[in-house]
């Protein structure tokens, strides 16, 4: 098992292509997901309100007012994610493999009610 990210309350890990987010206090599994190939990166919000896992696709788990939701972005734009970077509490920068034909940098805005993303830079038209 490889830990992608961890806070005082949550742990995001993977065992090969199988990803799991769990609550360390209660041992409750909050998210399970399968990836084609191992995930390359993961982040957990310091307030434990969201977690994001990247690889061949992007999976976002959010928690608000006692409700959790999982959104999977399985699009051409979000394939071959190389790295994630936290811009601020609600925004993440997503680097797509710079050597691929779909090389780009995306920004994902995380809100509990809607997830919006926009291209920042793309290497192709």
């Amino acid at each position: 098992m490889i830990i992608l990210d961890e806070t005082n309350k949550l742990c995001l890990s993977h065992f090969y292509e199988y990803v799991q987010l769990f609550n360390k206090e209660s041992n409750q599994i909050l998210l399970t997901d399968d990836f084609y190939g191992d995930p390359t990166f993961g982040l957990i919000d310091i307030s434990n309100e969201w977690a994001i896992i990247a690889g061949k696709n992007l999976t976002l788990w959010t928690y608000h007012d006692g409700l959790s939701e999982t959104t999977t972005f399985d699009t051409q734009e979000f394939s071959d994610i190389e790295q994630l970077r936290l811009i601020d509490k609600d925004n993440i920068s997503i680097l797509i493999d710079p050597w691929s034909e779909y090389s780009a940098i995306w920004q994902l805005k995380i809100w509990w009610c809607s997830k919006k993303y926009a291209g920042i830079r793309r290497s192709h038209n």
Side-chain angles (χ1 to χ4, degrees):
M1 179 171 77
I2 296 172
I3 295 175
L4 295 169
D5 199 14
E6 189 171 16
T7 65
N8 61 333
K9 191 173 185 177
L10 302 178
C11 182
L12 179 62
S13 64
H14 80 93
F15 184 72
Y16 296 107
E17 298 175 343
Y18 180 74
V19 176
Q20 192 173 70
L21 175 69
F22 67 93
N23 184 315
K24 296 189 313 188
E25 297 168 347
S26 67
N27 286 327
Q28 178 185 13
I29 297 172
L30 305 172
L31 166 76
T32 59
D33 198 6
D34 291 316
F35 277 72
Y36 178 78
D38 294 349
T40 54
F41 212 84
L43 287 173
I44 301 173
D45 168 53
I46 59 170
S47 302
N48 300 301
E49 293 176 344
W50 56 261
I52 192 164
I53 310 102
K56 283 286 188 188
N57 62 298
L58 187 74
T59 299
L60 173 65
W61 172 85
T62 55
Y63 182 80
H64 183 75
D65 287 341
L67 299 173
S68 68
E69 180 182 3
T70 302
T71 305
T72 300
F73 299 89
D74 194 6
T75 65
Q76 189 77 16
E77 292 90 6
F78 284 166
S79 64
D80 297 321
I81 297 168
E82 192 74 22
Q83 189 171 28
L84 301 173
R85 189 184 83 209
L86 190 61
I87 297 171
D88 59 35
K89 181 177 174 4
D90 296 319
N91 289 284
I92 294 174
S93 176
I94 303 164
L95 173 65
I96 306 301
D97 183 355
W99 296 275
S100 80
E101 105 181 71
Y102 296 101
S103 173
I105 299 173
W106 292 91
Q107 182 173 334
L108 176 67
K109 183 160 190 74
I110 301 171
W111 290 332
W112 67 270
C113 61
S114 68
K115 290 85 180 172
K116 298 180 180 183
Y117 64 93
I120 296 174
R121 238 178 295 170
R122 299 176 104 179
S123 66
H124 64 288
N125 297 334

